[in-house]
Amino acid sequence: MLLEMDSITKSYGLVRANQNVNFNLRKGEVHALIGENGAGKTTLMRILYGMESPTSGQIKIDGKPVTFHDPTDAIKHKIGMVHQHFMLFPAFSIAENIVIGGEPKKGIVFDRKQAIEQTIALSEQYGMPVDPKKKVADCSLGMQQRVEILKVLYQGAETIILDEPTGVLTPLEVKELLASIKALTAKGKSFIIISHKLSEIMEVSDRITVLRDGVVTGTVNASETNEEQLSRMMVGRELIKLERSEAKIGKPVLELNDVTIVGNKTKPLLEDVQFNVHEGEIVGVAGISGNGQSELLQAISGLMPIDRGTIALQEKNITGASVKMIRESGLAHIPEDRYLWGVSKEATVSDNGIMGHLSRTSKRGMLDGKAIRTLVSGWVERFGIKTGSLHTKAQYLSGGNLQKLIVAREIAQQTPFLIAAEPTRGVDVGAMEIIHGELLKRRDEGAAILLVSSELTEIMKLSDRILVMYEGKVVGELDAATATEEQISLLMAGGKAVGQA
Amino acid sequence: MDQLFDVSLFAAALRMVAPILLAALGGAICARVGLFNVGLEGLILIGAFSAILGNYLTGSIAVAILFAMGFSLLFSLLLAYMSINLQANVIIVGIALNFLAAGLTTFALRAIFNVKGAYYDKDMKGLPKLDIPVLKDIPWLGDVLSGQSILVYAAIVIVIVLQFYLFRTVSGFRLLAAGENPVASRSLGLNVKKIQYAAVLISGALCGLAGAQLSLGNVTMFTEGMTNGRGFIALVATMLGQSNPIGVAGASMLFGFMEALSYRLQNFSVPSNITAMLPFVVTIIAMIFFKSSGYKNEAKKSSGSSR
């Protein structure tokens, strides 16, 4: 065994994040660590990377017991970690980011020329091409991740921990990453991957360990299991198959006519976008991120002015109207970036919960504490939001739990129109099931829902109709019942529409 | 016009530049580690007073300069401790430091020198002036550049040293990294706190030098509040120069020249209240061009994660 973690227990006060966890890694293997949000995956890896010390238990490397006090100890033992939120310096070049901490030098002078040469050598050795002089700020997220992996390799890592590596990547970048992982294991590197994307895990890993509530529920060979079994091990029960009833399409709720945003680039951000969303249907917008989806949502919700065209909500022209007016006309919005648009990190769970619900939770300009508690604690229970109390600051909730709070809040608006942008980004299967169920319930109640997601499976599962966006234009409209993944992928990549509905 | 823009104006400008430049370099190095040091004004004032005190107690210029650096360093240590260890808001601590310096120097002036408003001793020696061989014989240029106080030359050398340090050395690279992304730096095992401390202490020492130039170079006396906003002008020079030593030097030159010009204009029967505004008017104009780009980002970084 390259690495063993023997009966690791980590307690925070009364909370046990890890309990007698056994985990090991063979040389050249990809071992996935999966589980729901808060199951203790990240805690276990932080222990392995020296960022936390275990309450009890032992780490062994090559059979010898070791103790890590900080990440530098872990790095010395050839363990590297790529964090979920990248640890890069945007203003520095790729080469500078890779060599930092072990810079080549002449006397006291930083030898940047050699840094560039070493970066090129490293990227050729592992088949991960980068432009060493390019600034990281100008790199795509996929490229940034490649830089992170090269940085860890430069530090001499033999074992690489990847925490949620595919969360922010486009489908193409995910493919490249998985290929890189396979190539690196062929060269003798070993990987631990934390994730809850089962399809990717099944594709790349050799063994899979499942954690639930801090306890290992099993370690299985990837070749001897399937996604259903893994889901059961993660959630601890059978997942309910989503029942979708026949769509009862009513009158149009949202009508977009030739909506165009010119922007200051050569190509318009949005070009002649035209579609309707009707009562009782979910319209999914597919597309590789950055093809106008964000602008579309901001245009509809009034956050971004449009240059041409009209937008109508509930037969009322809302072109150029204020966000407040649009919301009052019947829009609720689960925003794509939860930290930017969705919550105030400094505010409490209950304060975040009542945003947009003030008329229900106040009397004569004064907040009604009892009404607030009833409302928010109802959501906490129904969506299984893990929070210390209603007075916990939002920033201390995990991403998935925060997302559940936002979804609960926006669905509770009971508006005729709902925007759901990346509604399940970063949430685990159990929570995903709840959120998907709630969205379908709103649809069955007659709401019109516009769903934007970079997860094709989510689009296919929930939508009644699918629009595909490419370079600011709607390049295809498909009936979800007959659309295939290949068809959509082709349109997303800018290919010509085949068999349009 | 010839009378207005003569040799002595440029020589005076260079003299005026030195304190602003030294302090602005201190501000720049703090900005580079994500701390926006608004306490420059107070640190210069402490330096100016301590220089006079050192001179008064020992009569030695070297001791006077050491006093200036030492006391400013001590007060910058206070700033560092409050903002880095106690996580107090660095802007508030800086403002507090300015008031502390103003009060403390006024009090000490009365307690130690037993005078009000200003201390002046005709026997006190100012900073020595250096005549640079060869250079001093070049017409015009020699008159401007030669015969300045040693701290003026020191300021120019420090610009070059800092530029080299920040952008060429490994240690400078890590200092930039600590300001750019403290969370990532910590994950690499860099000691961000230590780097921040070092930056604040360097800025303290530089402000001490700035103060010494003010009280022993430009004049040989101490008056209450004699910094007269130079610390804030230095702050603007820091921002305008984008915290690049050479850029900061350029910006400081502009402000120093304006200050010299404002004194000069008084000889041309322009009312002194009007001319005294000149450096500040230029500051405001500079701020308009500078807008909000750099400093807000700097402020964000100090508390930011890599998210």
Side-chain angles (χ1 to χ4, degrees):
Chain A
M1 281 301 163
L2 177 66
L3 184 155
E4 287 160 275
M5 297 180 83
D6 287 342
S7 53
I8 301 283
T9 296
K10 175 74 185 175
S11 309
Y12 298 99
L14 291 174
V15 184
R16 288 216 168 151
N18 287 145
Q19 203 172 338
N20 288 320
V21 173
N22 291 307
F23 185 88
N24 58 45
L25 185 70
R26 300 185 188 115
K27 192 170 164 56
E29 151 182 80
V30 178
H31 193 158
L33 185 59
I34 65 172
E36 304 200 81
N37 296 326
K41 301 165 294 193
T42 303
T43 306
L44 189 67
M45 287 304 112
R46 286 171 70 90
I47 291 171
L48 181 58
Y49 192 56
M51 294 165 85
E52 308 260 358
S53 39
T55 311
S56 66
Q58 180 71 60
I59 300 172
K60 287 183 198 157
I61 291 182
D62 292 326
K64 287 182 212 102
V66 288
T67 315
F68 297 158
H69 300 286
D70 59 54
T72 22
D73 290 341
I75 293 168
K76 266 182 222 146
H77 284 87
K78 301 185 189 267
I79 296 171
M81 182 158 176
V82 175
H83 298 265
Q84 188 177 1
H85 301 292
F86 296 154
M87 296 284 185
L88 294 173
F89 302 90
F92 294 171
S93 72
I94 287 181
E96 287 170 340
N97 267 286
I98 287 173
V99 301
I100 186 165
E103 302 90 340
K105 46 186 154 183
K106 283 183 187 156
I108 60 162
V109 176
F110 179 9
D111 190 347
R112 284 184 167 79
K113 218 167 136 190
Q114 208 193 326
I116 289 168
E117 282 165 15
Q118 286 177 353
T119 301
I120 293 171
L122 199 67
S123 82
E124 279 172 2
Q125 185 187 347
Y126 293 108
M128 300 172 84
V130 289
D131 175 1
K133 287 181 190 164
K134 199 170 172 184
K135 259 192 184 183
V136 164
D138 301 331
C139 293
S140 67
L141 288 168
M143 182 60 79
Q144 291 186 19
Q145 183 162 56
R146 193 176 293 175
V147 174
E148 281 277 21
I149 294 175
L150 285 170
K151 179 171 87 180
V152 168
L153 290 169
Y154 180 85
Q155 291 165 354
E158 290 294 326
T159 303
I160 300 170
I161 306 167
L162 302 176
D163 188 358
E164 300 283 359
T166 60
V168 292
L169 303 185
T170 65
L172 186 69
E173 287 171 336
V174 170
K175 268 193 189 132
E176 284 174 3
L177 173 71
L178 298 184
S180 298
I181 292 173
K182 284 175 186 163
L184 285 167
T185 48
K187 288 185 197 293
K189 306 286 178 192
S190 318
F191 282 86
I192 301 171
I193 300 180
I194 302 180
S195 182
H196 45 238
K197 295 203 177 158
L198 297 178
S199 58
E200 290 160 13
I201 290 300
M202 288 296 289
E203 188 184 333
V204 78
S205 46
D206 300 305
R207 281 192 298 157
I208 300 163
T209 290
V210 186
L211 275 178
R212 187 171 76 233
D213 293 333
V215 181
V216 173
T217 52
T219 299
V220 290
N221 288 325
S223 55
E224 292 161 12
T225 186
N226 54 47
E227 292 186 29
E228 284 71 37
Q229 190 197 356
L230 292 174
S231 303
R232 266 201 310 278
M233 288 163 77
M234 276 164 75
V235 185
R237 60 180 160 83
E238 291 289 334
L239 285 178
I240 307 149
K241 260 244 181 279
L242 274 181
E243 292 289 337
R244 42 180 316 141
S245 49
E246 193 64 28
K248 287 189 276 296
I249 310 277
K251 61 178 174 43
V253 176
L254 178 83
E255 294 161 88
L256 265 73
N257 235 316
D258 290 330
V259 172
T260 300
I261 297 177
V262 180
N264 47 18
K265 295 208 178 109
T266 46
K267 279 194 174 136
L269 297 170
L270 279 185
E271 198 176 344
D272 299 328
V273 173
Q274 183 155 355
F275 65 85
N276 294 347
V277 185
H278 302 84
E279 282 174 348
E281 76 168 340
I282 296 182
V283 173
V285 177
I288 296 167
S289 65
N291 275 287
Q293 300 95 315
S294 307
E295 289 79 8
L296 175 67
L297 297 182
Q298 289 181 30
I300 295 171
S301 50
L303 294 164
M304 197 183 221
I306 62 172
D307 295 306
R308 257 201 329 274
T310 56
I311 305 172
L313 182 62
Q314 294 276 74
E315 295 174 342
K316 188 168 153 196
N317 186 358
I318 56 160
T319 318
S322 68
V323 176
K324 185 166 187 276
M325 211 210 101
I326 295 172
R327 279 205 158 235
E328 280 166 1
S329 311
L331 170 133
H333 185 178
I334 300 164
E336 57 179 335
D337 186 331
R338 52 179 164 250
Y339 293 104
L340 189 63
W341 305 103
V343 291
S344 161
K345 278 160 87 175
E346 291 290 322
T348 64
V349 167
S350 87
D351 288 349
N352 272 298
I354 59 169
M355 286 176 189
H357 289 280
L358 283 175
S359 57
R360 290 168 66 187
T361 54
S362 61
K363 278 182 199 153
R364 289 183 290 278
M366 304 292 277
L367 289 173
D368 178 354
K370 203 176 154 207
I372 292 172
R373 273 192 301 279
T374 318
L375 188 69
V376 182
S377 55
W379 298 337
V380 167
E381 202 171 310
R382 194 164 110 216
F383 284 81
I385 301 169
K386 282 180 190 146
T387 172
S389 76
L390 295 186
H391 303 290
T392 306
K393 281 187 183 176
Q395 58 180 327
Y396 298 121
L397 263 63
S398 75
N401 281 305
L402 205 52
Q403 183 69 18
K404 287 192 263 184
L405 176 68
I406 297 169
V407 170
R409 177 183 79 197
E410 296 302 324
I411 286 181
Q413 294 279 1
Q414 297 288 313
T415 51
F417 179 60
L418 172 69
I419 290 175
E422 308 289 353
T424 59
R425 178 179 279 174
V427 310
D428 53 61
V429 280
M432 195 184 286
E433 186 193 12
I434 298 175
I435 292 173
H436 285 171
E438 290 287 338
L439 288 174
L440 282 174
K441 201 172 130 213
R442 275 303 290 153
R443 156 190 177 265
D444 294 341
E445 287 165 2
I449 298 176
L450 184 66
L451 168 76
V452 175
S453 176
S454 47
E455 294 289 327
L456 215 45
T457 46
E458 183 167 45
I459 295 269
M460 309 256 313
K461 193 163 144 197
L462 293 179
S463 314
D464 297 299
R465 244 182 332 134
I466 298 170
L467 303 174
V468 185
M469 287 194 76
Y470 178 71
E471 293 193 337
K473 281 185 278 200
V474 174
V475 292
E477 182 178 336
L478 304 153
D479 185 342
T482 58
T484 64
E485 206 164 312
E486 289 69 38
Q487 250 180 335
I488 302 174
S489 298
L490 192 66
L491 286 167
M492 278 166 69
K496 284 277 164 284
V498 193
Q500 277 202 24
Chain B
M1 230 20 173
D2 278 352
Q3 274 178 315
L4 182 57
F5 292 101
D6 63 3
V7 173
S8 65
L9 173 72
F10 288 95
L14 206 55
R15 206 160 55 232
M16 308 282 174
V17 166
I20 295 173
L21 175 56
L22 284 163
L25 290 172
I29 196 157
C30 282
R32 284 291 184 180
V33 295
L35 294 170
F36 192 64
N37 187 351
V38 289
L40 298 177
E41 175 87 358
L43 290 172
I44 306 174
L45 194 61
I46 298 223
F49 179 83
S50 314
I52 292 287
L53 181 66
N55 200 333
Y56 167 78
L57 291 177
T58 65
S60 151
I61 291 293
V63 172
I65 293 177
L66 282 179
F67 256 62
M69 287 173 74
F71 277 100
S72 292
L73 203 72
L74 210 62
F75 279 87
S76 66
L77 193 64
L78 183 69
L79 179 106
Y81 181 73
M82 301 271 282
S83 56
I84 300 168
N85 281 50
L86 303 183
Q87 292 282 306
N89 182 315
V90 66
I91 304 225
I92 310 257
V93 178
I95 292 170
L97 192 65
N98 289 339
F99 283 112
L100 177 68
L104 208 58
T105 49
T106 302
F107 171 73
L109 195 63
R110 286 181 207 180
I112 298 171
F113 297 105
N114 211 10
V115 290
K116 264 183 169 180
Y119 174 76
Y120 172 72
D121 180 352
K122 62 179 176 11
D123 298 329
M124 198 154 60
K125 277 188 295 198
L127 294 172
K129 311 234 181 307
L130 279 190
D131 277 321
I132 301 176
V134 187
L135 186 69
K136 74 173 199 286
D137 299 326
I138 303 170
W140 199 86
L141 210 58
D143 290 333
V144 174
L145 293 178
S146 188
Q148 298 281 5
S149 95
I150 45 169
L151 287 184
V152 172
Y153 301 115
I156 295 166
V157 173
I158 290 169
V159 170
I160 297 162
V161 170
L162 265 187
Q163 184 80 16
F164 178 81
Y165 172 74
L166 285 180
F167 300 110
R168 288 277 176 277
T169 67
V170 169
S171 161
F173 174 63
R174 291 180 175 185
L175 183 141
L176 297 180
E180 175 75 17
N181 188 343
V183 178
S185 303
R186 249 172 260 133
S187 83
L188 289 163
L190 301 187
N191 192 337
V192 175
K193 272 188 187 173
K194 204 169 102 186
I195 292 171
Q196 286 180 325
Y197 257 95
V200 174
L201 293 184
I202 290 171
S203 92
L206 289 172
C207 287
L209 289 180
Q213 167 69 12
L214 211 54
S215 62
L216 290 176
N218 294 11
V219 289
T220 37
M221 65 186 297
F222 180 84
T223 48
E224 283 174 21
M226 73 182 300
T227 42
N228 200 15
R230 282 181 184 80
F232 294 106
I233 292 183
L235 214 51
V236 178
T238 299
M239 291 191 261
L240 204 60
Q242 312 256 306
S243 304
N244 265 337
I246 296 200
V248 168
S252 304
M253 297 277 181
L254 173 72
F255 292 127
F257 181 75
M258 285 303 145
E259 196 182 342
L261 192 64
S262 78
Y263 285 124
R264 175 56 57 95
L265 282 172
Q266 288 173 18
N267 302 341
F268 288 78
S269 59
V270 183
S272 64
N273 334 33
I274 300 287
T275 62
M277 291 195 303
L278 199 57
F280 301 96
V281 171
V282 174
T283 306
I284 290 168
I285 293 170
M287 288 298 279
I288 291 169
F289 282 105
F290 170 75
K291 290 219 183 99
S292 60
S293 55
Y295 133 73
K296 267 192 186 164
N297 294 336
E298 295 295 332
K300 261 189 216 158
K301 276 177 199 161
S302 64
S303 62
S305 70
S306 64
R307 175 167 290 140

